[in-house]
Amino acid sequence: MTSWRELVGARDREILQAAGYGHAVGLGETPALLVVDVTYGFLGRVPLPVLEAIQTYPGAVGEAGWKAVGVIDLLLETARKARVPILYSEGTGEQGRWLDKRPVHARQPADAYEIVDRIAPRPGETVIRKAKPSAFFDSPLAQRLTELGVDSLIVGGGTTSGCVRATVVDAFSHDYRVTVVEDAVFDRVELSHTAALLDMEHKYADVRPAAAVIAELQTRASPAHAADVQR
């Protein structure tokens, strides 16, 4: 499968490099994992090609979403072992301007805003309910991160160009370091997915594969690292 990075033109890469964008910032000392809107409305109940999935769930992204769920599951397992705080976001179903831009939004099934069972939150993990794309907008997310002492975010979920990007930009605006896990985010349109990852990597976040993020979290979970932190 072609990497999203390979879809970026050589001239665009040259411009961004010459302009000095895209320096890696890394995670802070106290990261949290934020899973954005991994709900049945985006995934449907079973993996289906996107044009089939949207017949029942008009916001579905199809099989790409379920592939990302497998990666998110691994991230959650690693974060729990490393005692990294875990937060989720889910929509409230508020319609707002969506009815103007996309009237079909009104016919979402009743379970559209439920987090999928495979990665369901466990007791003690925070669920942020949100009415707009960003998980920060008019929600208690920033307050909860402060309570947890979080200084950086690891982000997965959907959609890459919508709720993920909006959340990442707001996290950047709150001065959090942000890492977007590139194989843990999903979108229904390849162009939107690629453009959003490119934009976030060069302006607002580090965009890294899950394997690298998991390896770093595993290192942080090791007894040697814990001893160093306590010194």
Side-chain angles (χ1 to χ4, degrees), residues 4-219:
W4 69 271
R5 297 175 189 276
E6 296 176 54
L7 299 176
V8 180
R11 182 173 183 273
D12 288 340
R13 290 196 299 269
E14 182 181 3
I15 291 169
L16 290 166
Q17 182 176 3
Y21 285 104
H23 285 262
V25 298
L27 292 176
E29 290 297 321
T30 53
L33 174 61
L34 176 61
V35 180
V36 178
D37 293 14
V38 184
T39 59
Y40 289 114
F42 283 133
L43 298 180
R45 283 284 173 176
V46 295
L48 290 173
V50 61
L51 288 174
E52 293 181 36
I54 60 177
Q55 298 306 309
T56 304
Y57 293 88
V61 305
E63 295 163 315
W66 283 104
K67 183 177 179 180
V69 166
V71 178
I72 293 168
D73 202 9
L74 293 174
L75 285 168
L76 287 166
E77 179 184 353
T78 306
R80 287 167 180 144
K81 288 179 179 177
R83 299 191 176 185
V84 168
I86 294 170
L87 304 95
Y88 296 76
S89 71
E90 63 181 9
T92 63
E94 180 180 310
Q95 304 300 329
R97 295 273 69 86
W98 280 118
L99 292 181
D100 296 335
K101 290 299 293 180
R102 186 169 166 268
V104 72
H105 191 77
R107 67 170 181 87
Q108 294 276 20
D111 62 353
Y113 302 100
E114 296 178 15
I115 296 168
V116 300
D117 287 342
R118 180 174 173 182
I119 58 159
R122 295 185 180 178
E125 296 174 351
T126 301
V127 177
I128 300 295
R129 302 203 72 215
K130 66 185 187 67
K132 303 299 180 184
S134 172
F136 283 91
F137 183 84
D138 200 22
S139 87
L141 177 56
Q143 178 182 344
R144 183 60 179 145
L145 294 177
T146 298
E147 292 169 352
L148 293 168
V150 167
D151 66 1
S152 51
L153 288 176
I154 301 165
V155 179
T159 62
T160 316
S161 63
C163 297
V164 168
R165 186 186 185 281
T167 298
V168 166
V169 172
D170 276 358
F172 176 90
S173 299
H174 281 80
D175 285 332
Y176 289 104
R177 296 170 181 243
V178 185
T179 294
V180 176
V181 185
E182 62 186 53
D183 39 346
V185 294
F186 52 86
D187 212 314
R188 61 188 65 80
V189 176
E190 187 175 33
L191 175 61
S192 300
H193 177 73
T194 298
L197 287 174
L198 175 71
D199 197 38
M200 288 188 288
E201 180 175 64
H202 285 90
K203 297 177 184 177
Y204 309 116
D206 293 344
V207 176
R208 302 174 65 193
V213 176
I214 287 171
E216 182 167 348
L217 291 179
Q218 288 172 333
T219 299

